[in-house]
Amino acid sequence: MSDRGLSRRQYLTTVGGTAVTLSVAGCSGDGGSGGDGGSEQTITAGTAPGFPPFEMKEGGELVGFDIDLLEAVVEQTDYSFEGWEEFEFDSLIPALTNNNIDVIAAGMTINEKRDDTIDFSDPYYSSDQAIVVRADGDFAPESLSDLADRPIGAQKGTTGEGVVQDELVGQEITESQYNAYDNYVLAIQDLENGNVDAVVIDVPVANTFAANRPVEVAFVYETGEKFGFGVRTDDDARQEALNAGLSTVREDGTYEELTQKWFGE
Ligand code: GLN
């Protein structure tokens, strides 16, 4: 009696008559093609392009640091990667809790408010908020109080919006002087057009826009944020797998390669 015989018999017990063709699959680890029953072992990721260099569209293709990093991390796990779904940033958490996606990879800051609804992987990047202005130089704020009575933009549902709401609205600016955008690309366009005088946005993304468009970072407001991958609160298995994968890609040099590629650092 061999082990092989035993496992085949277990197969027959589990899946009945169809096991004749499936029994070979027992040695292959299934590769995700074993039918519809595999959703336990798959990851569909969600992101919000328009946040360069973390995620953006280039020639119709979704690219960026988060895209490469998450795919490299999932590669280290037993999960098979099913692909990307795109959303506006403030629809990502609902998409996760509704099971439309399994992981959020969107430069999302780990914070207490979000931690009530979802869980996060270990941190994979740090950021502060930048105050971005037009590069022509006639408005050069140095602190939040210099933004008084100016129209200010940020992306809906972000920590940048949080800075505007908590530090500016009702103090330096009125409610109607805050312009909330579905994505940061629209906010930066409105800054270029003169419809807002500053945009509050994560530093690495601000630097990317500044390198490619007529805008510049006026000053940095320190928030000490850390980005993590979002997972459902009850999904300890994916959380642990992602954390293990993250530490592997940090150790094997992949993480450093990717920061080089996307941030030149
Ligand atoms: N880090 C910010 C946040 O979590 C912005 C993220 C984003 O716009 N993709 O709110």
Side-chain angles (χ1 to χ4, degrees), residues 178-219:
Y178 171 50
N179 294 39
Y181 297 89
D182 281 338
N183 63 69
Y184 270 122
V185 174
L186 298 173
I188 295 291
Q189 260 161 26
D190 251 14
L191 175 63
E192 289 176 30
N193 296 339
N195 293 326
V196 292
D197 285 339
V199 168
V200 183
I201 181 170
D202 303 61
V203 169
V205 183
N207 290 336
T208 309
F209 280 124
N212 298 303
R213 289 160 167 269
V215 298
E216 66 187 18
V217 174
F219 68 95

Side-chain angles (χ1 to χ4, degrees), residues 34-117:
D36 334 326
S39 62
E40 290 278 299
Q41 283 299 322
T42 63
I43 285 179
T44 300
T47 193
F51 199 61
F54 291 90
E55 38 270 336
M56 64 257 199
K57 299 301 278 275
E58 262 178 21
E61 203 197 337
L62 181 66
V63 297
F65 177 71
D66 279 334
I67 311 308
D68 284 353
L69 180 64
L70 183 72
E71 290 183 12
V73 165
V74 173
E75 189 97 340
Q76 299 298 327
T77 71
D78 291 334
Y79 289 87
S80 65
F81 189 70
E82 296 283 281
W84 292 93
E85 303 273 342
E86 296 170 22
F87 299 87
E88 298 294 5
F89 183 75
D90 67 351
S91 301
L92 284 167
I93 290 180
L96 179 66
T97 55
N98 292 335
N99 296 312
N100 295 330
I101 53 174
D102 304 305
V103 174
I104 297 171
M108 188 177 273
T109 301
I110 303 168
N111 66 23
E112 268 175 34
K113 189 169 159 243
R114 291 173 181 156
D115 238 341
D116 287 343
T117 328

Side-chain angles (χ1 to χ4, degrees), residues 9 145 148:
R9 205 163 61 233
S145 56

Side-chain angles (χ1 to χ4, degrees), residues 55 68 75 78 126 174-175 214 226 234:
E55 38 270 336
D68 284 353
E75 189 97 340
D78 291 334
S126 307
T174 63
E175 183 94 54
K226 300 224 179 302
D234 56 357

